[in-house]
Amino acid sequence: MSEPKRNIAWRLSEIFVTSRLTILTILALTFFGSIAIYLTPREENPQIIVPAAHISVQFPGASALEVERLIVTPLEAIVSEIVGVDHTNALAMNSVGIVGVSFKAGENKEDSFVKLYNRISGNLDKMPSGSSAPLIKALDVDDMPVVTVTLASDTYDDFALKQMAEHMAERLHSLPSVSVVTVKGGQDREIRINLDPDRLAAFGVPLTRVRDTLAGNNLSVPAGDTVQEGSTRSVFLDGFFKDADAVRNLVVGQNGGRPIYLGDVSDIVDGPPKERERISRFSFGAGDARNAEFGNLDMAAVTLGVAKKKGTNAVFMADDTIERIRRMQDEFLPRDVHVVVTRNDGEKADDAVNLLIEHFFIAVSTVFLVLILFLGWKEALIVTMTVPLVLFVTIGADFIHGITINRVSLFALILSLGLLVDDAIVVIENIHRRYYNGGGEKKDITIRACAEVGGAANLATATVIVVFLSLMLVGGMPGQYFYPVAFNVPVAMAASLFLAYTVTPWAAYRWVGMGHREEEAEARPGRLERAYRWLMELSMNRRAVRWAIYGVTLATLSLTVLQPAWQFVRPEGVAGPKPSFGVSTGFLPKDNKNTFNVSLQTPETTPVEMTDRLVREVNAILVKNPLITNTQSWVGQSGVIDFNALLRGSGDRVGANIGEIRVNLIDKHARETSSIELVRELRPAVEAIAARYPGTYVQMVEDPPGPAMRATVLAEIYGKDLDVLRELSGRAEEIFAATFDMVDITTSEPLDVVEYKIVVDQEKAALSGVSNAQIAAILRPLYAGEVIGRIHSDNSRHVVPIRVRVPYSQQPDPNHLENIIVENAAGQGIPLSELVQVVSGLRDRPILHKDNERVTFVGGELAQTSQIYAIADLDSKFDGMEIGNGLRLETGNISLATAAPDTIGKYQLLWNGEIRLMLDTYRDMGMVMGLALVFVFLLLVGYYQSFKIPLVSMASVPLGMIGVFPGHWIMGADFSATSMVGIIALAGVAIRSSLLIIDFIRDNQSQGMALQEAAYQAGIVRARPILLTTLAVVLGSAIMLTDPVFGGLAISLIFGTGVSSALTIIVVPVLYYRANRGAEA
Amino acid sequence: MFNALFRTALVGVCLFALVGCKEDPEGHHAPEARSLDLPVTRVEIAAADRLYSTPGSAISQERIEVSSRTTGYLQRITVHEGDVISKGDILIEIDPTDIEGAINRAQAALSSAETALSDAEQDVVRLENLLERGAVSNENLRKATVARDVSRARLAEAQAALDTALAGRRYTTIISPIDGIVVARQKQVGDLATPGFPILTIESRTRLLFRTSVSESHIGVVRVGDPVKVAIDALGKEDVTGEILRIIPSGDPVTRRYDVEIALPSGLDVFPGMFGRAHFVIGSDRVVTIPARALTERGGLPGAFIVGDNGAVHFRWLRTGRELSDAIEVNAGLNGGETIVAQDDDRLRGGDRIETTAGATPDE
């Protein structure tokens, strides 16, 4: 072998081989890495930043169409002018318009909001008169509670519970990592004036006077200073209402000189409202021991949600928070209040991270065992020693770069484990070989050994780095999700290479003796080797055999590609169950979680009591399941917001028809059934109940492992005419319902709500001296209730509003307003019924916009199959659908490029939801991989100064693909986005293997061996290290197979690498021989 | 080597197997359902009258303001506010001195007139005898006859004056014209009673009316003679049935209301002025109702316990509406036909069982 170049490997190993610096480096890395592991914030999944905000504008009394034209359309246009805005959504309802804006994933949050505020405030003059100023509410991930604690009790009501929770909340703010603390559920104190219209009428006190008296008497003002007895004193009008008695004793009229008190004409109640619009409850499920005692109880509950400050560690924050809450529980909570931690993202993250670190070390141990067999224990130990160091470097880099320790970043380490050890293996192997051969000073040999493999190792590592770095180009939410892979693998690879040139020679120099090699693989031409030589000779020299090998390889490749594709082209159509040998293609599989959500939406006309009944019935089924520890029921509002709800935009829904049950399960380690299976099992029973409530939408929402979308399959139907859109929505809903495996179908078209329109008879009203404003002032307290001022008390934690309202039992039928008296300027009372006509009509239907066009949404989820087939099936049904007037529906947005809505002279259905995300991801990843391969090719061309050799070396990539789909089929898994990442990783491994073979062939040639012999010998010699690398990759990744999300990655990698390695040993030398035969001759 | 490899693979497989070994737990059962013996009932869909309620007050049909016919100082008032009186009771005595003086004067005038008459009659008898004898002229007799007739008329006048003076004595004592109650006493003993100014106000208790005002849009459904339920707050929950007595056919042009008077049944413990509501029936609805006693409250929510399969109960939140006589209208939460626990019991919890002894049987 010739004198190796003085490359980086030479220089590094020369410095480090005997230096104390090596020990220092090891110690420093260990120290730094340990601190980083401890301090780096932990998360379950990487945080995906999608800056989003809601802008709402009140425009009292304006019809939905008016709001659409005057508020929503201009606002949407203004907002979509901002650079970085991805989509706008808008909702125009009677009296209010809401525009939702979502920025592109990864846009800087603060910058985005500044741009938004800027844009809105610069256009305030375009708002019509009579509308309120736009209220901008940012949807901030950092405000989302990471810990929720529910206080539940059978004996205390939710008013008392809320007070306790608020008391606790105050004590949490002093924790430095705690950000927003919210108390959801429960009720606040208010002074409620229950008016009885009949009693008012009997006393001759008009409602307007009650209002005016309340508003005009709740007053305190400083009146200035005066000097008395030589000193300055201040004068103060003290007229605030301080308690309910003050309100009760308010004089609202008089009769024959006797005062009529407010207490005479109404019931004044101090306390929580009796007539509820929303409630929250808590139940123990059969999975909790407390079920045995409290199982049947219907417990009032409030939930304390604690968010963490940006950049703090959720694990510490959660521990501190819960510790404080436990102490407070012992300190002042009554014994019959249950305190249950219903969400702990810190613990969840910690569990996930610790489990993965554990898995990482299991993988390392497995690899270590393999290494012992191949290299001997000393060498194995040296190689394995570098692994924790790489981990330390990588996590240290994460810490500095601001990446959290999460599942994705750790999976990145596990997946690169095989490649990490490879650098050290290559170096130690060569040192070993050199030591055995002897000849010279030990230090010199060590350095030379490093330098010899340096070139190839550098190249191979650079290839892998390039391949993984290219993942950074994936855009959108998936890009953010996979960012830790794109960052960690290159860092780990670079670190492993550095350590292979520094720590490995140092350790080898110290601990590995000279000339100790015991077994020599090359020395025994076994049966396998003879078979290999025979095959090689046949294929190198006989065209038929060679072409047979090529043919079989290509045929296998095409067949495996058919596995996912067959369902599209099969004669019975794309719908229906997947073929028995097929592999489904999905986006990201669902994960086994410890919680899921049942979201219920009854028709818009449903009173809250009815929604409550549905929620109770569903809950009764859920709590009987032994895997469910507890459930939180929310009626009239959605539950505590989580990441999923934030991205889906369903986090802050309020309304009598909204119900939600948050179901918490026993820990996934303690059960066999996954949350996915459990949901599948429970769904029929829940749907059976919901079927008894016509028009009800049920969604059983599992938290997706990655980005959440509004729905898996989302049809956005764009058009101009609202009636046509509504009709299309109905038809779409039917088609969805008839689609195989489609569940949780929702539409954005609400039910018509009957509205009493109260029309004032202007002549009569004018003759009686009554204005519309007076009538309006009466109607609001009647039906909505109205807050008129507040109690000014020093010891109340909250604003205590004074609310005037008519109790349900006294609420008059709008058709019978005889007893509602309105007072004219002369003080005469006139029955309202004499001044108005009541016309029954329908409430304005809300108008939805997306990206400046009118739209209606129909969404659905798939219970177990992949959405891509459902979409293909649906698209064929929708495309060209007759709409009437000769118009046909056009569909779009399922090609690789995104389509913008277009309603000019047509109606359009654009597919969105997870399918869009999936297409974008696959497109980006495909492009990224292509780009990476081009880069690798250029790199190799530069290195080899040849165009052929890089092509030969890259032939191993498609070979790897052969294993991917059958691998998924064998494991019964869907091909997913993580599988795609696996393929990218596979490309790196495969190129690396073939590069090492080619490098050896060239090396052999340079030592004067004939091309054919050189190729053959290289195959034999490299078979062992390739097998070793393959085993390291396979066994290292095998631990990931059990993970529902990253299983796909492991499958791609394991099966791909297996097949690719086996074929590379045969195909690459043959190809190289054929390609360079001419040159040699 | 490949043997060793195989062994390694085995180790790896075992490691994964360790991770995968899990079983679903049994679960904890909810506490055993208790059995309670409580009456149940079926939720009815009943016709409920659509009522138009108007507030009003009880009034007395007879209300008398007692005043004196004569002028005089009040010597005695025998009653006070709130006293129950019967017809014929002496209420007021007025100082009679003036009246007695007038009587004496009249009696004196009468005896003077009687004396003058007898003198005139004797003159006539004497002149007739003289005329027979021709001692006087016819003219003299004629004059004496006239003087006698005048005296006779004077006597009658004096007699009438005496009668009048004697009648005045009757007015100094005022007696009650009706059975009733004293509601006001405007003057005190010693005050001067003058005609036209009331001294006492008394009201009849036998005949009470309820006066209310009905808006223009409903005056059409109100007919004289129709029975009307009247709820007087002071009587508690019990409604009384009255009869429309009269409609005062003159409305207020601004407030658009007409006064209606309803005759209340007699024998009620109602005082005039008490507040109440008249419920006019203006239509009929079919509504879901539950007995008032079935309504309960759990966790701050009003509702009722529904008896489901096998007698197991569960709570249901209800939106209650009007309170009917002994039932409560349910606006949301029940459809009718459900079986509910008819009487609330604090021990009752969701999941308990009901062993029925009374009322309807639970649904299966």
Side-chain angles (χ1 to χ4, degrees):
Chain A
M1 218 177 229
S2 57
E3 179 69 14
K5 283 183 282 183
R6 289 184 173 255
N7 53 15
I8 303 170
W10 178 292
R11 285 191 207 127
L12 279 176
S13 53
E14 194 176 20
I15 297 169
F16 281 91
V17 69
T18 52
S19 171
R20 299 276 185 283
L21 208 57
T22 320
I23 301 174
L24 281 184
T25 310
I26 292 172
L27 286 178
L29 287 181
T30 311
F31 182 68
F32 175 56
S34 310
I35 289 181
I37 288 179
Y38 185 67
L39 286 184
T40 311
R42 291 174 173 200
E43 280 177 321
E44 193 181 19
N45 288 309
Q47 203 176 73
I48 296 170
I49 298 168
V50 186
H54 279 163
I55 308 151
S56 57
V57 180
Q58 306 283 331
F59 197 10
S63 73
L65 279 168
E66 204 180 348
V67 171
E68 185 196 20
R69 295 218 176 93
L70 296 181
I71 306 270
V72 159
T73 307
L75 252 186
E76 227 188 330
I78 289 165
V79 162
S80 49
E81 288 160 15
I82 302 170
V83 178
V85 166
D86 197 16
H87 289 293
T88 58
N89 280 292
L91 171 66
M93 291 184 292
N94 191 317
S95 304
V96 63
I98 299 169
V99 174
V101 49
S102 55
F103 288 82
K104 290 187 179 118
E107 287 279 321
N108 183 293
K109 197 174 72 186
E110 280 78 16
D111 290 353
S112 303
F113 292 146
V114 169
K115 280 192 272 186
L116 181 65
Y117 275 91
N118 217 350
R119 201 79 204 163
I120 298 282
S121 52
N123 285 287
L124 281 181
D125 54 339
K126 292 191 183 147
M127 293 287 106
S129 66
S131 68
S132 73
L135 177 72
I136 305 174
K137 269 202 175 156
L139 301 175
D140 196 340
V141 187
D142 290 319
D143 291 348
M144 201 186 72
V146 290
V147 174
T148 66
V149 175
T150 300
L151 306 190
S153 175
D154 175 44
T155 43
Y156 291 89
D157 62 4
D158 55 356
F159 171 61
L161 288 173
K162 185 164 188 189
Q163 286 186 317
M164 296 175 204
E166 275 166 349
H167 192 63
M168 291 172 108
E170 281 175 4
R171 297 282 78 75
L172 291 176
H173 278 295
S174 49
L175 282 171
S177 50
V178 164
S179 155
V180 185
V181 183
T182 48
V183 176
K184 188 143 188 174
Q187 302 197 88
D188 289 324
R189 179 183 160 198
E190 66 173 22
I191 307 291
R192 196 180 177 84
I193 301 171
N194 285 322
L195 289 176
D196 178 347
D198 291 349
R199 244 157 92 191
L200 282 176
F203 278 94
V205 177
L207 224 158
T208 37
R209 202 192 293 157
V210 173
R211 241 176 124 249
D212 298 344
T213 314
L214 274 171
N217 286 290
N218 196 3
L219 186 75
S220 286
V221 279
D225 294 335
T226 176
V227 175
Q228 296 288 322
E229 295 166 25
S231 68
T232 305
R233 280 132 204 225
S234 65
V235 182
F236 187 79
L237 168 68
D238 185 12
F240 277 147
F241 298 152
K242 295 209 165 51
D243 52 20
D245 280 343
V247 179
R248 200 170 282 129
N249 293 329
L250 200 61
V251 176
V252 288
Q254 54 157 325
N255 188 16
R258 266 169 285 182
I260 299 170
Y261 297 104
L262 187 52
D264 294 336
V265 294
S266 62
D267 292 325
I268 292 163
V269 188
D270 181 354
K274 280 278 173 207
E275 290 170 355
R276 312 288 305 268
E277 278 156 6
R278 57 198 72 135
I279 47 173
S280 75
R281 274 193 304 271
F282 180 86
S283 328
F284 285 114
D288 193 300
R290 282 169 282 191
N291 187 53
E293 193 183 345
F294 304 103
N296 288 333
L297 293 184
D298 195 21
M299 287 187 274
V302 299
T303 299
L304 195 65
V306 191
K308 71 177 183 68
K309 288 210 182 95
K310 194 182 173 183
T312 54
N313 193 330
V315 182
F316 300 155
M317 179 265 172
D319 286 350
D320 292 349
T321 306
I322 289 166
E323 191 264 342
R324 276 208 178 181
I325 287 175
R326 291 284 171 225
R327 274 201 354 249
M328 283 191 273
Q329 182 187 4
D330 296 341
E331 190 77 23
F332 61 75
L333 277 196
R335 288 198 50 152
D336 35 10
V337 173
H338 301 283
V339 179
V340 185
V341 178
T342 42
R343 181 193 299 175
N344 187 344
D345 284 351
E347 191 191 313
K348 205 162 76 178
D350 206 31
D351 271 0
V353 167
N354 286 338
L355 182 76
L356 279 179
I357 291 182
E358 188 187 306
H359 280 187
F360 181 75
F361 282 106
I362 290 174
V364 171
S365 321
T366 324
V367 172
F368 177 61
L369 289 176
V370 178
L371 292 177
I372 291 180
L373 291 171
F374 276 75
L375 298 176
W377 70 270
K378 263 189 191 166
E379 287 82 351
L381 204 64
I382 293 170
V383 171
T384 312
M385 195 178 78
T386 61
V387 174
L389 293 178
V390 171
L391 176 77
F392 293 146
V393 172
T394 313
I395 291 182
D398 286 347
F399 178 57
I400 293 167
H401 189 63
I403 292 180
T404 57
I405 304 185
N406 55 50
R407 281 164 24 108
V408 179
S409 56
L410 288 174
F411 273 123
L413 284 175
I414 297 181
L415 99 92
S416 54
L417 186 66
L419 301 169
L420 296 183
V421 293
D422 208 34
D423 282 327
I425 291 172
V426 170
V427 171
I428 198 87
E429 249 241 315
N430 209 37
I431 293 176
H432 193 134
R433 201 162 55 100
R434 284 281 163 184
Y435 281 180
Y436 176 75
N437 295 341
E441 204 194 334
K442 192 178 183 183
K443 184 180 168 186
D444 239 29
I445 296 174
T446 317
I447 297 168
R448 270 158 197 283
C450 287
E452 263 174 25
V453 291
N458 284 350
L459 183 68
T461 308
T463 314
V464 175
I465 290 179
V466 164
V467 168
F468 277 95
L469 270 183
S470 64
L471 263 180
M472 285 199 182
L473 298 174
V474 176
M477 293 198 274
Q480 292 202 14
Y481 187 71
F482 288 117
Y483 183 79
V485 176
F487 180 81
N488 276 6
V489 177
V491 168
M493 290 309 297
S496 78
L497 192 65
F498 173 78
L499 292 169
Y501 295 153
T502 55
V503 175
T504 310
W506 172 82
Y509 179 73
R510 301 201 111 191
W511 293 318
V512 181
M514 298 271 284
H516 272 63
R517 189 148 193 168
E518 274 142 25
E519 43 177 328
E520 201 49 65
E522 297 141 69
R524 339 172 289 192
R527 240 184 331 163
L528 264 173
E529 201 182 314
R530 281 202 304 277
Y532 179 70
R533 178 184 276 274
W534 173 74
L535 188 65
M536 292 297 279
E537 272 168 4
L538 274 181
S539 51
M540 281 181 192
N541 302 324
R542 291 215 191 156
R543 172 185 290 257
V545 175
R546 194 166 59 245
W547 283 105
I549 289 179
Y550 293 166
V552 167
T553 312
L554 279 177
T556 324
L557 188 60
S558 334
L559 272 178
T560 62
V561 170
L562 205 57
Q563 280 191 309
W566 174 246
Q567 197 171 344
F568 289 109
V569 295
R570 65 177 173 186
E572 63 264 42
V574 72
K578 74 166 187 207
S580 50
F581 64 89
V583 172
S584 290
T585 316
F587 177 51
L588 278 177
K590 284 171 184 150
D591 200 358
N592 183 12
K593 296 271 181 174
N594 286 338
T595 180
F596 67 89
N597 215 4
V598 182
S599 163
L600 301 155
Q601 192 183 342
T602 50
E604 284 71 13
T605 50
T606 316
V608 65
E609 288 85 355
M610 205 69 165
T611 312
D612 179 69
R613 179 171 151 188
L614 170 64
V615 169
R616 276 175 202 267
E617 284 184 30
V618 173
N619 192 46
I621 291 198
L622 295 176
V623 293
K624 290 202 185 89
N625 193 296
L627 299 183
I628 291 173
T629 52
N630 56 58
T631 61
Q632 289 165 270
S633 308
W634 302 90
V635 182
Q637 62 185 347
S638 48
V640 181
I641 193 162
D642 60 3
F643 186 62
N644 192 9
L646 190 78
L647 286 182
R648 291 169 80 106
S650 59
D652 48 2
R653 294 182 304 160
V654 171
N657 63 329
I658 303 292
E660 188 177 307
I661 305 175
R662 163 63 61 181
V663 184
N664 290 316
L665 309 178
I666 58 172
D667 191 79
K668 57 186 163 197
H669 304 305
R671 62 183 143 88
E672 209 252 318
T673 314
S674 73
S675 62
I676 307 148
E677 289 159 345
L678 183 65
V679 166
R680 201 179 298 157
E681 201 177 288
L682 289 168
R683 192 188 295 277
V686 173
E687 278 179 350
I689 294 173
R692 296 211 297 268
Y693 297 80
T696 298
Y697 294 136
V698 187
Q699 286 179 290
M700 297 181 75
V701 187
E702 295 159 76
D703 294 351
M709 296 301 280
R710 186 176 173 139
T712 303
V713 177
L714 184 66
E716 300 172 346
I717 306 172
Y718 294 91
K720 287 225 176 85
D721 191 314
L722 293 171
D723 292 332
V724 175
L725 285 182
R726 186 178 183 187
E727 195 231 315
L728 283 174
S729 164
R731 279 164 76 180
E733 194 182 350
E734 281 168 24
I735 295 176
F736 267 62
T739 300
F740 174 76
D741 201 37
M742 187 70 74
V743 293
D744 293 0
I745 299 163
T746 57
T747 76
S748 61
E749 290 293 329
L751 209 70
D752 280 324
V753 179
V754 173
E755 184 173 75
Y756 294 105
K757 289 193 201 301
I758 295 183
V759 183
V760 178
D761 184 328
Q762 292 300 338
E763 283 88 3
K764 248 175 159 179
L767 289 174
S768 299
V770 174
S771 71
N772 278 8
Q774 280 171 300
I775 294 173
I778 282 184
L779 287 174
R780 273 197 69 76
L782 270 188
Y783 297 104
E786 192 176 15
V787 173
I788 301 170
R790 64 184 179 93
I791 289 289
H792 295 261
S793 155
D794 290 338
N795 51 14
S796 174
R797 205 173 259 123
H798 283 284
V799 170
V800 180
I802 302 170
R803 190 187 302 274
V804 176
R805 98 166 270 171
V806 172
Y808 290 149
S809 55
Q810 311 281 351
Q811 259 179 15
D813 181 339
N815 287 314
H816 297 276
L817 296 170
E818 296 80 17
N819 285 349
I820 310 305
I821 307 294
V822 52
E823 190 181 47
N824 65 9
Q828 291 161 303
I830 299 121
L832 194 51
S833 58
E834 303 309 318
L835 304 177
V836 298
Q837 289 273 316
V838 179
V839 188
S840 189
L842 294 179
R843 194 164 76 186
D844 281 359
R845 295 176 64 78
I847 303 167
L848 289 167
H849 274 207
K850 188 180 175 195
D851 294 339
N852 301 299
E853 299 289 352
R854 279 181 177 175
V855 70
T856 181
F857 299 103
V858 180
E861 305 290 326
L862 289 152
Q864 37 193 320
T865 58
S866 164
Q867 64 270 42
I868 192 158
Y869 307 106
I871 290 256
D873 180 35
L874 284 169
D875 191 64
S876 65
K877 288 181 192 159
F878 280 113
D879 201 10
M881 192 168 83
E882 193 74 48
I883 315 177
N885 287 334
L887 277 175
R888 283 174 188 280
L889 189 65
E890 283 180 21
T891 62
N893 211 25
I894 40 169
S895 63
L896 288 178
T898 46
D902 172 9
T903 60
I904 304 169
K906 63 182 175 183
Y907 287 84
Q908 200 183 25
L909 185 153
L910 296 185
W911 293 109
N912 218 318
E914 218 177 83
I915 182 73
R916 189 63 248 164
L917 203 62
M918 171 180 162
L919 286 170
D920 287 351
T921 309
Y922 278 32
R923 177 196 64 203
D924 284 3
M925 286 194 175
M927 269 163 46
V928 153
M929 194 166 138
L931 205 65
L933 292 180
V934 170
F935 269 120
V936 169
F937 180 71
L938 296 178
L939 200 74
L940 296 181
V941 170
Y943 182 81
Y944 288 119
Q945 298 295 321
S946 151
F947 286 106
K948 274 185 196 164
I949 300 173
L951 280 179
V952 170
S953 70
M954 289 170 78
S956 56
V957 176
L959 295 182
M961 293 293 293
I962 294 176
V964 173
F965 291 116
H968 281 86
W969 180 70
I970 290 168
M971 301 300 293
D974 284 1
F975 186 82
S976 67
T978 58
S979 310
M980 197 75 187
V981 176
I983 289 181
I984 294 176
L986 167 66
V989 179
I991 296 176
R992 191 184 168 96
S993 296
S994 60
L995 280 185
L996 290 174
I997 291 185
I998 290 169
D999 214 54
F1000 248 77
I1001 300 177
R1002 284 161 63 90
D1003 221 39
N1004 286 347
Q1005 269 185 297
S1006 68
Q1007 287 179 11
M1009 227 181 258
L1011 177 60
Q1012 189 170 352
E1013 183 61 18
Y1016 162 71
Q1017 278 299 338
I1020 294 284
V1021 174
R1022 292 315 294 171
R1024 213 173 71 107
I1026 286 178
L1027 185 64
L1028 186 54
T1029 307
T1030 308
L1031 273 177
V1033 168
V1034 168
L1035 294 176
S1037 315
I1039 196 87
M1040 285 198 278
L1041 279 175
T1042 52
D1043 188 273
V1045 182
F1046 286 84
L1049 199 163
I1051 292 169
S1052 288
L1053 203 55
I1054 290 170
F1055 287 89
T1057 314
V1059 173
S1060 140
S1061 301
L1063 290 176
T1064 302
I1065 295 174
I1066 297 167
V1067 175
V1068 169
V1070 173
L1071 279 175
Y1072 188 86
Y1073 168 70
R1074 298 303 304 180
N1076 289 286
R1077 203 167 37 121
E1080 194 194 32
Chain B
M1 184 185 82
F2 285 96
N3 251 346
L5 206 73
F6 176 72
R7 262 184 281 135
T8 320
L10 207 65
V11 171
V13 168
C14 289
L15 277 172
F16 301 134
L18 268 178
V19 179
C21 277
K22 278 177 274 185
E23 243 177 52
D24 281 344
E26 270 295 296
H28 308 270
H29 292 289
E32 275 297 302
R34 290 169 306 167
S35 285
L36 292 169
D37 179 10
L38 289 171
V40 298
T41 182
R42 188 180 281 276
V43 176
E44 302 286 345
I45 301 183
D49 291 332
R50 181 189 284 278
L51 297 177
Y52 167 49
S53 304
T54 58
S57 307
I59 55 165
S60 172
Q61 191 181 17
E62 289 172 297
R63 182 184 171 98
I64 297 164
E65 295 195 326
V66 182
S67 60
S68 169
R69 189 172 182 279
T70 62
T71 305
Y73 291 102
L74 292 169
Q75 197 172 49
R76 198 158 75 94
I77 300 175
T78 59
V79 291
H80 288 87
E81 286 100 331
D83 285 355
V84 178
I85 49 173
S86 311
K87 191 171 179 176
D89 287 358
I90 293 173
L91 300 177
I92 300 160
E93 287 172 12
I94 296 169
D95 183 4
T97 319
D98 288 356
I99 305 289
E100 292 302 329
I103 292 169
N104 289 343
R105 265 201 312 280
Q107 272 170 345
L110 181 66
S111 34
S112 146
E114 274 169 352
T115 313
L117 177 63
S118 67
D119 181 44
E121 279 173 345
Q122 281 167 12
D123 278 354
V124 171
V125 172
R126 193 172 49 87
L127 283 178
E128 274 173 352
N129 291 337
L130 288 178
L131 186 65
E132 276 169 23
R133 282 180 264 148
V136 288
S137 66
N138 224 358
E139 179 66 15
N140 287 345
L141 179 61
R142 190 191 56 85
K143 283 191 174 165
T145 308
V146 170
R148 183 201 59 189
D149 288 347
V150 169
S151 295
R152 192 173 285 161
R154 288 247 169 86
L155 177 66
E157 190 187 336
Q159 182 64 50
L162 179 63
D163 286 348
T164 308
L166 286 172
R169 182 188 276 160
R170 226 177 50 229
Y171 293 125
T172 60
T173 306
I174 301 172
I175 59 166
S176 172
I178 53 165
D179 289 338
I181 192 160
V182 179
V183 294
R185 188 173 134 159
Q186 283 91 343
K187 299 226 181 221
Q188 304 304 319
V189 173
D191 283 353
L192 183 67
T194 34
F197 288 91
I199 302 162
L200 291 174
T201 307
I202 56 177
E203 282 186 349
S204 157
R205 283 187 61 198
T206 49
R207 196 71 198 275
L208 281 176
L209 299 185
F210 185 82
R211 176 182 280 153
T212 182
S213 56
V214 172
S215 71
E216 196 178 274
S217 44
H218 288 304
I219 197 70
V221 294
V222 179
R223 279 190 198 86
V224 172
D226 279 357
V228 173
K229 291 240 168 165
V230 178
I232 309 273
D233 283 6
L235 292 182
K237 294 263 171 192
E238 295 292 312
D239 288 355
V240 296
T241 307
E243 187 189 313
I244 296 173
L245 194 65
R246 63 182 80 91
I247 300 165
I248 292 108
S250 166
D252 181 331
V254 173
T255 62
R256 314 239 164 242
R257 281 173 179 272
Y258 291 80
D259 279 352
V260 171
E261 286 183 353
I262 299 159
L264 294 177
S266 51
L268 291 176
D269 203 8
V270 172
F271 300 120
M274 276 182 175
F275 173 73
R277 290 180 179 86
H279 299 303
F280 298 94
V281 178
I282 55 168
S284 176
D285 295 324
R286 292 191 68 78
V287 295
V288 177
T289 60
I290 59 167
R293 278 148 65 108
L295 193 71
T296 172
E297 193 182 288
R298 287 291 183 279
L301 303 176
F305 280 97
I306 311 286
V307 184
D309 297 344
N310 317 321
V313 297
H314 54 271
F315 180 77
R316 196 176 281 176
W317 184 13
L318 303 177
R319 166 128 8 157
T320 55
R322 290 175 287 170
E323 285 178 19
L324 307 171
S325 51
D326 56 346
I328 289 175
E329 180 187 346
V330 176
N331 283 333
L334 290 171
N335 301 333
E338 294 95 337
T339 303
I340 59 167
V341 177
Q343 192 174 359
D344 177 30
D345 189 299
D346 281 344
R347 296 169 298 168
L348 204 56
R349 292 275 180 272
D352 288 346
R353 272 174 215 293
I354 292 295
E355 283 182 355
T356 315
T357 51
T361 49
D363 279 351
E364 283 303 324

